[in-house]
Amino acid sequence: MSVRDALLALLDRRPAYGYELKADFEAATGDGWPLNIGQVYSTLQRCERDDLATAQDEADDQGRRLWTISAEGREAVAEWLETPAAPVEATRDPFSLKVLMAIETSPDRVDDLIRDQRNATMSELQALTREKASVADGDLARQLHLDRSVLLVEAQVRWLDMVEARIDAHGKATS
Amino acid sequence: MTSSHAHVSLLELQNASLTLGEGVARVDALIDVNLTVTSGELVAVTGRSGSGKSSLLNVAGGLTPLSSGTATVEGEPLAGLKARDLAARRRRSIGYVFQDLNLLPTLTAAENVAFPLELDGVKVAEARAAADVALTRLEIGDLAGRFPDEMSGGQRQRVAIARGVVGERRLLLADEPTGALDEVTAENVMKLIRSLCDDGAAALVVTHDPSLAAWADRVVRLRDGRIDSITEAST
């Protein structure tokens, strides 16, 4: 539903064509959330079905239809913005599954696995940081997108550090 | 992030080992560390508390003599120097930035930055001119006349870094240089250190923060006094 609400929020600003909404959406998310144009139109059609937005009856000479938000659509946007979103769920990801399974099944290989994984993750962090360094000062959306990516990857490095420290402490406690 | 300057070795540690304490209190703080830092390079040092990060900075800066192995700064082995020459070498080549900064509260930003040069016998006017150059590089030339308590934490950090690279100093050793700063201010400090390195300096920066370490060309991770891994940024 987030993409629907985001498109409605953009429409709340001014009426727009589908391709304009796609471009505005990608600019606002710092090009970190590519949208396919088909997804934009199918979402707009659902909005029309649910009376959240309407399209011009007649297409212009280039075959484009202008979309306008409805009063219900405005309410939906307001409610979306006012309701806190659920935090990112971190229960399952391939990265942690591998580490946890290695601890369970191959304890003698965990040290090497953590080291290799940390190297790979740190490398990714360095690449993101270089990208950040090249972002123009005024490009707020791109900066925010990269900040978020950096923090998510950083969390993995920090977790690996904790895994290593906990295993060491556990080993000392049980030896 | 490559420098157009010729890359010369500013710091070289070969088989560097450091043992602290004796008997039951004996600790192998560093074991067989090999590390070369050349001009243009930013190297981050990470690792858990007690892994040897601060010891590494201390031996790199000649503050602690090695138990075995060699430490060489700008081609000169530190072990061969008399105490007075070692102190002079440190003042001339190496800048330190610590979390608590050690800025003198009764001196202005410019006086703080000029201080190590004056200690080295440089004339006051010349030292002040070099301080102004360093402060301008750190984008705080307009704060030259301010006292430390008249500046923000981020500004004081820049003064400390300016002092670290004043005159001919090209090797910056920093221990958690962004420790007390918020994320964005800390990032700006790392960006400045990065750009100083791009202009031909070199920095060895201890940090526990992975996203700040990621500004480095190489991230050296210490574990129990040894180099556990080195992550090189892909170019």
Side-chain angles (χ1 to χ4, degrees):
Chain A
M1 294 301 269
S2 301
V3 169
R4 183 202 77 175
D5 294 318
L7 293 181
L8 283 172
L10 290 169
L11 272 186
D12 196 9
R13 208 168 44 168
R14 60 169 180 269
Y17 297 108
Y19 74 92
E20 286 178 321
L21 287 172
K22 170 178 153 60
D24 289 351
F25 179 95
E26 288 175 350
T29 51
D31 292 320
W33 194 322
L35 266 194
N36 139 354
I37 191 72
Q39 192 185 352
V40 173
Y41 285 114
S42 62
T43 306
L44 287 171
Q45 278 152 12
R46 276 203 306 281
C47 288
E48 191 171 34
R49 182 198 65 197
D50 298 338
D51 298 325
L52 299 170
T54 53
Q56 250 173 350
D57 288 340
E58 303 231 341
D60 67 10
D61 52 5
Q62 292 180 51
R64 303 174 307 187
R65 295 200 304 160
L66 193 68
W67 288 84
T68 307
I69 195 166
S70 68
E72 290 92 327
R74 288 214 162 85
E75 270 175 42
V77 170
E79 194 185 329
W80 178 60
L81 291 176
E82 284 161 13
T83 313
V88 176
E89 240 185 281
T91 49
R92 295 178 197 178
D93 65 271
F95 170 87
S96 54
L97 187 64
K98 186 189 291 190
V99 174
L100 294 170
M101 280 305 130
I103 294 168
E104 182 65 23
T105 63
S106 320
D108 52 331
R109 289 167 63 187
V110 167
D111 232 35
D112 289 341
L113 186 146
I114 290 176
R115 185 180 300 112
D116 293 347
Q117 186 68 59
R118 189 193 286 106
N119 266 334
T121 313
M122 183 49 89
S123 215
E124 169 72 17
L125 206 51
Q126 286 172 309
L128 284 168
T129 303
R130 287 188 172 222
E131 214 182 322
K132 245 171 103 154
S134 68
V135 173
D137 280 345
D139 193 348
L140 178 64
R142 186 78 189 148
Q143 275 173 346
L144 294 177
H145 165 67
L146 288 170
D147 284 343
R148 178 175 171 276
S149 305
V150 161
L151 288 170
L152 290 172
V153 176
E154 184 195 327
Q156 294 186 328
V157 179
R158 286 184 185 271
W159 185 66
L160 285 171
D161 289 346
M162 290 190 78
V163 169
E164 185 191 272
R166 299 257 191 232
I167 290 174
D168 282 359
H170 187 76
K172 276 174 194 149
T174 53
S175 63
Chain B
M1 297 187 201
T2 50
S3 164
S4 55
H5 302 255
H7 295 285
V8 293
S9 163
L10 295 184
L11 169 69
E12 204 168 341
L13 297 174
Q14 281 184 318
N15 305 111
S17 295
L18 174 67
T19 305
L20 300 171
E22 285 176 14
V24 286
R26 182 190 149 109
V27 178
D28 290 317
L30 293 172
I31 305 166
D32 235 6
V33 170
N34 288 292
L35 181 67
T36 301
V37 183
T38 58
S39 58
E41 267 196 311
L42 170 53
V43 177
V45 183
T46 66
R48 279 147 62 184
S49 307
S51 60
K53 303 188 296 289
S54 297
S55 294
L56 184 65
L57 278 195
N58 289 340
V59 300
L63 296 172
T64 309
L66 288 168
S67 307
S68 64
T70 56
T72 308
V73 170
E74 292 196 279
E76 188 165 41
L78 298 182
L81 297 175
K82 290 178 189 150
R84 203 181 55 184
D85 296 335
L86 177 62
R89 161 57 70 190
R90 282 204 306 255
R91 278 200 302 273
R92 212 168 320 133
S93 305
I94 307 171
Y96 299 90
V97 180
F98 298 106
Q99 203 171 329
D100 54 9
L101 301 181
N102 301 321
L103 293 181
L104 297 166
T106 54
L107 299 185
T108 64
E111 288 164 350
N112 263 290
V113 174
F115 194 54
L117 295 179
E118 289 175 31
L119 279 181
D120 224 17
V122 175
K123 285 181 188 145
V124 174
E126 211 177 306
R128 276 299 302 269
D132 285 340
V133 170
L135 287 167
T136 304
R137 277 174 86 186
L138 272 297
E139 300 168 4
I140 46 165
D142 54 332
L143 303 182
R146 296 245 186 116
F147 289 93
D149 66 359
E150 295 170 336
M151 290 182 276
S152 70
Q155 290 167 341
R156 283 199 291 270
Q157 203 69 12
R158 288 178 191 224
V159 174
I161 296 170
R163 187 181 55 186
V165 293
V166 71
E168 292 171 14
R169 289 173 158 195
R170 287 199 295 165
L171 177 61
L172 192 67
L173 303 177
D175 199 351
E176 301 285 3
T178 61
L181 304 176
D182 67 74
E183 283 85 351
V184 174
T185 311
E187 183 182 289
N188 287 336
V189 167
M190 285 309 288
K191 263 189 193 169
L192 283 167
I193 294 177
R194 173 77 262 171
S195 90
L196 290 172
C197 292
D198 291 343
D199 288 343
L204 191 61
V205 177
V206 164
T207 176
H208 69 281
D209 187 332
S211 61
L212 295 177
W215 284 89
D217 300 294
R218 277 185 291 155
V219 180
V220 175
R221 186 165 190 278
L222 292 177
R223 190 177 181 191
D224 300 329
R226 294 178 198 273
I227 292 183
D228 184 51
S229 67
I230 298 179
T231 314
E232 308 236 1
S234 50
T235 47

Coordinates of all heavy atoms in Angstrom, one line a residue, chain A residues 111 115 118-119 122-123 125-126 129-130 132-133 137 147 150 154 157-158 161 164-165 168, chain B residues 1 48 187 208-211 213-217 219 221 223 228-234:
Chain A
D111 N 34.7 -18.5 12.8 CA 35.6 -17.4 12.8 C 36.0 -16.9 11.4 O 35.9 -15.7 11.1 CB 36.9 -17.9 13.5 CG 37.3 -16.9 14.6 OD1 36.4 -16.4 15.3 OD2 38.6 -16.8 14.8
R115 N 34.8 -13.4 9.5 CA 35.8 -12.5 8.9 C 35.5 -12.2 7.5 O 35.5 -11.0 7.0 CB 37.2 -13.1 9.1 CG 38.3 -12.2 8.6 CD 39.7 -12.9 8.7 NE 40.0 -13.2 10.1 CZ 40.1 -14.4 10.6 NH1 39.9 -15.5 9.8 NH2 40.4 -14.7 11.8
R118 N 32.4 -10.0 7.2 CA 32.7 -8.7 7.6 C 33.4 -7.9 6.5 O 33.1 -6.8 6.2 CB 33.4 -8.6 8.9 CG 33.5 -7.2 9.4 CD 34.5 -7.0 10.6 NE 34.0 -7.5 11.8 CZ 34.5 -8.6 12.4 NH1 35.5 -9.3 11.7 NH2 34.1 -9.0 13.5
N119 N 34.4 -8.6 5.9 CA 35.1 -8.0 4.8 C 34.2 -7.6 3.6 O 34.3 -6.5 3.1 CB 36.2 -9.0 4.2 CG 37.5 -8.7 4.9 OD1 37.8 -7.6 5.3 ND2 38.3 -9.8 4.9
M122 N 31.9 -4.7 4.8 CA 32.7 -3.5 4.9 C 33.0 -2.9 3.5 O 32.9 -1.7 3.3 CB 34.0 -3.7 5.7 CG 34.8 -2.5 6.0 SD 33.9 -1.1 6.7 CE 34.0 -1.3 8.4
S123 N 33.3 -3.8 2.6 CA 33.6 -3.4 1.2 C 32.3 -2.7 0.6 O 32.5 -1.7 0.0 CB 33.9 -4.7 0.4 OG 34.8 -4.4 -0.5
L125 N 30.1 -1.2 2.4 CA 30.0 0.1 3.1 C 30.9 1.1 2.5 O 30.6 2.3 2.3 CB 30.3 -0.2 4.6 CG 29.7 0.7 5.6 CD1 28.2 0.9 5.5 CD2 30.1 0.2 7.0
Q126 N 32.1 0.7 2.1 CA 33.1 1.6 1.5 C 32.5 2.1 0.1 O 32.6 3.3 -0.2 CB 34.4 0.9 1.3 CG 35.2 0.8 2.6 CD 36.5 -0.1 2.5 OE1 36.4 -1.1 1.9 NE2 37.6 0.5 2.9
T129 N 29.8 4.6 0.7 CA 30.4 5.8 1.2 C 31.0 6.7 0.1 O 30.9 7.9 0.0 CB 31.4 5.5 2.3 OG1 30.8 4.8 3.3 CG2 32.0 6.8 2.9
R130 N 31.7 6.0 -0.9 CA 32.2 6.7 -2.0 C 31.1 7.3 -2.8 O 31.3 8.4 -3.4 CB 33.0 5.7 -2.9 CG 34.3 5.4 -2.2 CD 35.3 4.6 -3.0 NE 36.5 4.6 -2.2 CZ 37.7 4.7 -2.7 NH1 37.9 4.9 -4.0 NH2 38.8 4.7 -2.0
K132 N 28.3 8.3 -1.6 CA 27.8 9.4 -0.8 C 28.7 10.6 -1.0 O 28.2 11.7 -1.1 CB 27.9 9.0 0.7 CG 26.6 8.9 1.4 CD 26.7 8.3 2.7 CE 26.7 9.3 3.8 NZ 26.2 8.8 5.1
A133 N 30.0 10.4 -1.1 CA 31.0 11.5 -1.2 C 30.8 12.2 -2.5 O 31.1 13.4 -2.7 CB 32.4 10.9 -1.1
D137 N 25.8 18.5 -2.9 CA 25.3 18.9 -1.6 C 23.8 19.2 -1.6 O 23.1 18.9 -0.6 CB 26.0 20.2 -1.2 CG 27.3 20.0 -0.6 OD1 27.6 18.8 -0.2 OD2 28.2 20.9 -0.5
D147 N 22.2 7.5 3.1 CA 22.3 7.4 4.5 C 21.6 6.2 5.1 O 22.2 5.5 5.9 CB 21.6 8.6 5.2 CG 22.5 9.9 5.1 OD1 23.7 9.8 4.8 OD2 21.9 11.0 5.3
V150 N 23.5 3.1 4.1 CA 24.7 2.9 4.9 C 24.4 2.4 6.3 O 25.0 1.5 6.8 CB 25.5 4.3 5.0 CG1 26.4 4.3 6.2 CG2 26.2 4.6 3.7
E154 N 25.7 -0.9 7.9 CA 26.5 -0.8 9.1 C 25.9 -1.7 10.2 O 26.7 -2.2 11.0 CB 26.4 0.7 9.6 CG 27.3 1.0 10.8 CD 27.0 2.3 11.5 OE1 26.6 3.2 10.8 OE2 27.2 2.3 12.7
V157 N 27.5 -5.0 10.0 CA 28.9 -5.1 10.5 C 28.9 -5.1 12.0 O 29.6 -5.9 12.7 CB 29.7 -3.8 10.0 CG1 31.1 -3.9 10.6 CG2 29.8 -3.8 8.5
R158 N 28.1 -4.2 12.6 CA 28.0 -4.1 14.1 C 27.5 -5.5 14.7 O 28.0 -5.9 15.7 CB 27.1 -3.0 14.5 CG 27.7 -1.6 14.4 CD 26.8 -0.6 14.9 NE 27.3 0.8 14.7 CZ 28.1 1.4 15.5 NH1 28.5 0.9 16.6 NH2 28.5 2.6 15.2
D161 N 30.3 -8.0 14.7 CA 31.2 -7.7 15.8 C 30.6 -8.2 17.1 O 31.3 -8.8 18.0 CB 31.4 -6.2 16.0 CG 32.3 -5.6 14.8 OD1 32.9 -6.4 14.1 OD2 32.3 -4.4 14.7
E164 N 30.8 -12.1 17.2 CA 32.2 -12.5 17.6 C 32.4 -12.3 19.1 O 32.9 -13.2 19.8 CB 33.2 -11.7 16.8 CG 34.6 -12.1 17.0 CD 35.6 -11.1 16.4 OE1 35.9 -11.2 15.2 OE2 36.0 -10.2 17.1
A165 N 32.0 -11.2 19.6 CA 32.2 -10.9 21.0 C 31.4 -11.9 21.9 O 31.9 -12.4 22.9 CB 31.9 -9.5 21.4
D168 N 33.0 -15.3 21.9 CA 34.2 -15.3 22.7 C 33.8 -15.4 24.2 O 34.4 -16.2 25.0 CB 35.0 -14.1 22.5 CG 35.8 -14.2 21.2 OD1 35.8 -15.2 20.5 OD2 36.5 -13.2 20.9
Chain B
M1 N 38.9 9.0 -5.3 CA 39.6 9.5 -4.1 C 41.1 9.3 -4.2 O 41.7 8.9 -3.2 CB 39.1 8.9 -2.9 CG 37.6 9.2 -2.7 SD 37.1 8.6 -1.1 CE 35.3 8.6 -1.3
R48 N 37.7 -4.4 18.7 CA 37.0 -4.3 20.0 C 37.9 -3.5 21.0 O 39.1 -3.4 20.8 CB 36.7 -5.7 20.6 CG 35.4 -6.2 20.0 CD 35.4 -7.7 19.8 NE 35.5 -8.4 21.1 CZ 35.6 -9.7 21.1 NH1 35.7 -10.4 20.0 NH2 35.7 -10.3 22.3
E187 N 30.4 13.0 10.1 CA 30.6 12.7 8.7 C 31.4 13.8 8.0 O 32.3 13.6 7.2 CB 29.3 12.5 8.0 CG 29.5 12.1 6.6 CD 28.2 11.9 5.8 OE1 27.5 10.9 6.1 OE2 27.8 12.7 5.0
H208 N 35.4 3.2 16.3 CA 34.6 2.0 16.5 C 33.4 2.0 15.6 O 32.6 1.1 15.6 CB 34.2 1.9 17.9 CG 33.2 3.0 18.3 ND1 33.6 4.3 18.6 CD2 31.9 2.9 18.4 CE1 32.5 5.0 18.8 NE2 31.4 4.2 18.7
D209 N 33.3 3.1 14.8 CA 32.1 3.3 14.0 C 32.3 2.8 12.6 O 33.0 3.4 11.8 CB 31.8 4.8 14.0 CG 30.4 5.1 13.4 OD1 30.0 4.4 12.5 OD2 29.8 6.1 13.8
P210 N 31.6 1.7 12.1 CA 31.9 1.2 10.8 C 31.6 2.2 9.7 O 32.3 2.2 8.7 CB 30.9 0.0 10.7 CG 30.6 -0.4 12.1 CD 30.7 0.9 12.9
S211 N 30.6 3.0 9.8 CA 30.3 3.9 8.7 C 31.3 5.0 8.6 O 31.4 5.6 7.5 CB 28.8 4.4 8.8 OG 28.7 5.2 10.0
A213 N 34.6 4.4 9.5 CA 35.7 3.6 9.0 C 35.6 3.5 7.4 O 36.6 3.4 6.7 CB 35.8 2.3 9.6
A214 N 34.4 3.5 7.0 CA 34.2 3.2 5.5 C 34.7 4.4 4.6 O 34.7 4.2 3.4 CB 32.7 2.9 5.2
W215 N 35.0 5.5 5.2 CA 35.6 6.6 4.5 C 37.1 6.3 4.1 O 37.7 7.0 3.3 CB 35.6 7.9 5.2 CG 34.2 8.5 5.2 CD1 33.2 8.3 6.2 CD2 33.6 9.4 4.3 NE1 32.1 8.9 5.8 CE2 32.3 9.7 4.7 CE3 34.1 10.0 3.1 CZ2 31.5 10.5 4.0 CZ3 33.3 10.9 2.4 CH2 32.0 11.1 2.8
A216 N 37.6 5.2 4.7 CA 39.1 4.9 4.5 C 39.3 4.1 3.2 O 38.4 3.4 2.7 CB 39.6 4.1 5.7
D217 N 40.6 4.2 2.7 CA 41.0 3.3 1.6 C 41.1 1.9 2.1 O 40.9 1.0 1.4 CB 42.3 3.8 1.1 CG 42.2 5.3 0.6 OD1 41.5 5.5 -0.4 OD2 42.8 6.1 1.2
V219 N 40.6 -0.6 5.7 CA 40.1 -0.7 7.1 C 40.8 -1.9 7.7 O 40.7 -3.0 7.3 CB 38.6 -1.0 7.1 CG1 38.1 -1.1 8.5 CG2 37.8 0.2 6.4
R221 N 41.5 -4.2 10.8 CA 40.8 -4.7 12.0 C 41.7 -5.4 12.9 O 42.4 -6.4 12.4 CB 39.6 -5.6 11.7 CG 38.8 -5.9 12.9 CD 37.4 -6.4 12.5 NE 36.6 -6.5 13.7 CZ 36.6 -7.5 14.6 NH1 37.4 -8.5 14.4 NH2 35.8 -7.5 15.6
R223 N 42.6 -7.7 16.3 CA 42.0 -8.6 17.2 C 43.1 -9.2 18.1 O 44.0 -9.8 17.6 CB 41.2 -9.7 16.5 CG 40.4 -10.6 17.4 CD 39.6 -11.6 16.5 NE 38.8 -12.4 17.4 CZ 38.2 -13.5 17.0 NH1 38.4 -13.9 15.7 NH2 37.4 -14.2 17.8
D228 N 43.6 -8.7 12.1 CA 42.7 -9.8 11.9 C 42.3 -9.8 10.4 O 42.1 -10.9 9.8 CB 41.5 -9.6 12.8 CG 40.5 -10.8 12.6 OD1 40.9 -11.9 12.8 OD2 39.3 -10.5 12.4
S229 N 42.1 -8.6 9.9 CA 41.7 -8.5 8.5 C 42.0 -7.1 8.0 O 42.0 -6.2 8.8 CB 40.3 -8.9 8.2 OG 39.4 -7.9 8.9
I230 N 42.2 -7.0 6.7 CA 42.3 -5.6 6.0 C 41.3 -5.6 4.9 O 41.3 -6.5 4.0 CB 43.7 -5.4 5.5 CG1 44.7 -5.4 6.7 CG2 43.8 -4.0 4.8 CD1 46.1 -5.2 6.3
T231 N 40.4 -4.6 4.9 CA 39.4 -4.5 3.8 C 39.9 -3.3 3.0 O 40.0 -2.2 3.5 CB 38.0 -4.2 4.3 OG1 37.7 -5.2 5.3 CG2 37.0 -4.4 3.2
E232 N 40.2 -3.5 1.7 CA 40.6 -2.5 0.8 C 39.4 -2.0 0.0 O 38.6 -2.8 -0.5 CB 41.6 -3.0 -0.2 CG 42.8 -3.7 0.4 CD 44.1 -3.1 0.1 OE1 44.1 -2.1 -0.7 OE2 45.1 -3.6 0.5
A233 N 39.2 -0.7 -0.1 CA 38.1 -0.2 -1.0 C 38.4 -0.5 -2.4 O 39.6 -0.4 -2.9 CB 38.0 1.3 -0.8
S234 N 37.4 -1.0 -3.1 CA 37.7 -1.3 -4.5 C 37.7 0.0 -5.3 O 37.0 0.9 -5.0 CB 36.6 -2.2 -5.1 OG 35.3 -1.7 -4.7

